[in-house]
Amino acid sequence: MVILVVNCGSSSIKYQLFNMTDESVLAKGLVERIGLEGAQLTHQPAGKEKVVLTADIKNHSIGIKMVLEALTHAEHGVLKSMQEINAIGHRVVHGAEKFADSVLITPQVMDALEECIDLAPLHNPPNILGINACAELMPKTPQVGVFDTAFHQTMPKYSFLYGLPYEAYEKYGVRRYGFHGTSHRYVSQRAGELMDEHITNLRIITCHLGNGASIAAVKHGKSVDTSMGFTPLEGLVMGTRCGEIDPAIITYLMKKEGLTPDQIDTYLNKKSGVLGLSGISSDFRDIEEAANEGNERAQLALDVFAYKVRKYIGGYVAAMGGVDAIVFTAGLGENSVSMRDKICQGLEFLGTRIDPVKNNVRGKATEISVDGAKVKIFVIPTNEELVIARDTEQICANLV
Ligand code: ADP
C-alpha cells in the first residue's frame, strides 16, 4: 500500500509518502506560512533533488493540492497519479475520551472531532481542515485519524484526575489527557524490541524531550501516567512553556502585571520555559553554547530542566513499582549528549549509569547504559509518521 501521512498545523502542512511494502519513504516535505506572505512548499523526493516552490498558499486546501501536484509531477514527482495513494493518515492532536485508538474517518468521527475543538482550540481546527481538504480532492480515498492523546487513554482514573471538584471533570472534561502519545508508544515498543523482551513484561519511562517535552510511565505496554495534562502546558519546563507551577501564581501575576487571560496564556506558553529562565533562547543548542561560555542563567536553565526530568523519572519509578528501561527521544533527547548525562547523574541508586563512550551518539537507536546495568538506558529516534502509516495500513487493509 502507498500511504500519505499528513500533519496539519495552523500555518503548516508536513507530509510523508510511504511505500508500506518495505516501509520506505518515497517523498516528504513541508508547506509553510499558509495564509501569510512568503508561503512555500519544500518537497524532497527520495533520491532526487529537493525542490522549493513559492506560491500564494491562501489556505490548507491549496496547500494539500500543491502537495498532491508535487507528488505526481513529471520531474520531481514519485507517483503517476494520485489514484496510486491508497489511504491517508492524519495526525490529530486531541481525541479527548472519545478516541482511545486510531480510527477510520467517517461523518460521525468528524462530528466528534468538532466536539473536541473546545479542548484543543489551536490544534484540532487545522487537523480538521486537512482532513476536509483531502476529502475534497480525493473523495474515494479512505482517511484515518491518529491521535496524540489516544495512547494515554489507558491511564487509571486516580492518575488522570486533578484535585478539583468532580464536576469540573463531569461538566467540562477537565482531567489529564497527555500528548505525544504516538511517540511514547513507538519508542516504548522499540525499547522492548531492543531488549528482546515482550513489552507486556516491561516497565519503561519514555522521555520525549523536544521543544515541547513530556515523560510517560509505560507499564506492561500501557501508559499509566504522563507529564502533560489537560493541555500540553503542564509537566516539564519546556522551550517556551512553564510546565508545572503553583496555580496560584497565575492569578497573582495577572493582578500584579494587569494581564488579561489571553496575555497570561501567552506569558506561560510563549515567554516561559528555558527561554524565560535563560533570557537567551528556547533552543537548547543556543543555551548549551551560552552555558559553555560561562553564562550563569543559561546554566541555571539547563539545571532546572534536568532536575525536573530526573524528578519525574523518580516519580514514575514509584508509580510503576520499578523500572526496566529509560528511553530518550525527540530533538534534545536524541541529540544532546550532555543533557542525557546531566539528567542521569544521581540515578545510580536505581542500578544504572550512563556509559560516556556509548552516550556519545546522535539520532541512532542504541543502548547507552553501562554493560550489565539493571535498568537499561536507550536513545531511540522517534518516528510518529511511521506509526501513523502503520495504523492507517492496518485500518484500511480490508477497504482498498
Ligand atoms: P518539536 O518537534 O517539539 O518542535 P524537536 O523534537 O524537533 O521539537 O526538538 C527541538 C529541540 O531539540 C530544540 O530545542 C533543539 O535545541 C533541540 N536539539 C536539536 N538538536 C540538538 C543538539 N544537537 N543539541 C542540543 N539540542 C538539540
Side-chain angles (χ1 to χ4, degrees):
M1 265 170 105
V2 172
I3 290 173
L4 178 63
V5 171
V6 177
N7 179 355
C8 284
S10 58
S11 65
S12 69
I13 303 169
K14 287 189 199 141
Y15 63 94
Q16 282 194 25
L17 187 73
F18 284 89
N19 175 358
M20 294 310 285
T21 316
D22 58 359
E23 296 190 335
S24 59
V25 176
L26 299 171
K28 63 181 173 183
L30 168 69
V31 184
E32 291 170 279
R33 298 183 60 81
I34 295 173
L36 303 168
E37 229 171 86
Q40 64 175 38
L41 163 70
T42 308
H43 176 70
Q44 174 70 71
K48 289 192 208 166
E49 285 285 301
K50 185 193 277 185
V51 278
V52 179
L53 303 166
T54 47
D56 185 17
I57 311 174
K58 281 199 183 64
N59 54 43
H60 287 71
S61 262
I62 297 173
I64 295 278
K65 195 156 172 273
M66 278 183 74
V67 170
L68 295 173
E69 279 166 7
L71 290 171
T72 53
H73 192 270
E75 276 150 40
H76 51 256
V78 291
L79 301 173
K80 288 199 186 68
S81 84
M82 40 192 219
Q83 271 65 46
E84 286 177 49
I85 300 173
N86 301 110
I88 305 170
H90 291 266
R91 174 194 181 209
V92 183
V93 171
H94 215 311
E97 291 185 341
K98 295 175 198 295
F99 300 105
D101 283 305
S102 304
V103 285
L104 184 70
I105 302 285
T106 62
Q108 290 77 16
V109 168
M110 290 308 282
D111 288 345
L113 288 183
E114 294 279 346
E115 286 166 28
C116 295
I117 288 181
D118 204 22
L119 292 171
L122 298 180
H123 293 104
N124 274 26
N127 299 154
I128 293 170
L129 284 176
I131 295 170
N132 284 334
C134 290
E136 230 174 75
L137 295 162
M138 305 172 71
K140 296 214 169 78
T141 309
Q143 302 197 67
V144 166
V146 179
F147 301 88
D148 267 26
T149 49
F151 182 59
H152 301 301
Q153 278 297 302
T154 47
M155 283 187 288
K157 213 165 187 172
Y158 59 76
S159 164
F160 73 66
L161 277 183
Y162 293 113
L164 292 167
Y166 196 73
E167 294 82 52
Y169 169 55
E170 285 186 313
K171 268 171 92 176
Y172 303 117
V174 175
R175 52 158 283 180
R176 175 181 311 285
Y177 290 101
F179 299 86
H180 293 143
T182 313
S183 176
H184 290 294
R185 177 174 140 209
Y186 175 76
V187 297
S188 57
Q189 280 167 356
R190 283 287 291 132
E193 286 165 19
L194 292 172
M195 292 170 84
D196 206 13
E197 184 67 72
H198 203 270
I199 185 116
T200 51
N201 296 327
L202 294 171
R203 295 156 301 181
I204 304 173
I205 296 173
T206 47
C207 309
H208 179 112
L209 311 179
N211 243 326
S214 70
I215 307 204
V218 184
K219 188 175 185 183
H220 306 155
K222 293 194 165 121
S223 171
V224 292
D225 205 347
T226 190
S227 58
M228 281 181 170
F230 179 60
T231 73
L233 182 58
E234 197 189 344
L236 301 174
V237 170
M238 305 180 214
T240 62
R241 294 176 225 163
C242 61
E244 61 179 14
I245 56 170
D246 180 341
I249 295 169
I250 297 169
T251 44
Y252 181 80
L253 282 177
M254 284 176 83
K255 282 184 204 152
K256 286 279 179 199
E257 297 268 320
L259 301 175
T260 64
D262 280 352
Q263 284 169 331
I264 191 80
D265 203 54
T266 305
Y267 188 95
L268 302 172
N269 273 291
K270 303 255 164 74
K271 297 187 177 166
S272 300
V274 290
L275 168 68
L277 281 167
S278 68
I280 290 172
S281 168
S282 63
D283 192 304
F284 281 88
R285 284 165 290 202
D286 301 337
I287 302 172
E288 285 180 359
E289 200 183 311
N292 287 337
E293 286 164 6
N295 184 302
E296 278 179 26
R297 268 180 53 195
Q299 187 57 54
L300 189 64
L302 298 176
D303 292 347
V304 172
F305 182 87
Y307 177 67
K308 190 78 91 178
V309 174
R310 197 179 322 125
K311 250 177 41 165
Y312 266 100
I313 290 174
Y316 288 169
V317 172
M320 295 193 289
V323 62
D324 302 297
I326 298 167
V327 181
F328 289 101
T329 194
L332 180 69
E334 290 168 26
N335 293 299
S336 178
V337 175
S338 59
M339 183 52 82
R340 289 192 300 255
D341 186 55
K342 196 170 173 57
I343 291 167
C344 291
Q345 279 169 24
L347 292 184
E348 290 80 7
F349 73 97
L350 285 176
T352 194
R353 197 156 43 87
I354 275 189
D355 179 323
V357 177
K358 290 193 208 164
N359 188 33
N360 196 9
V361 69
R362 288 192 170 82
K364 186 171 153 244
T366 185
E367 190 196 327
I368 56 168
S369 39
V370 291
D371 291 346
K374 204 165 109 248
V375 178
K376 310 282 181 220
I377 308 174
F378 291 101
V379 173
I380 300 181
T382 194
N383 196 342
E384 289 155 286
E385 293 79 11
L386 179 60
V387 178
I388 296 172
R390 283 178 181 167
D391 279 10
T392 304
E393 180 183 39
Q394 200 188 5
I395 288 172
C396 297
N398 300 324
L399 302 173
V400 293

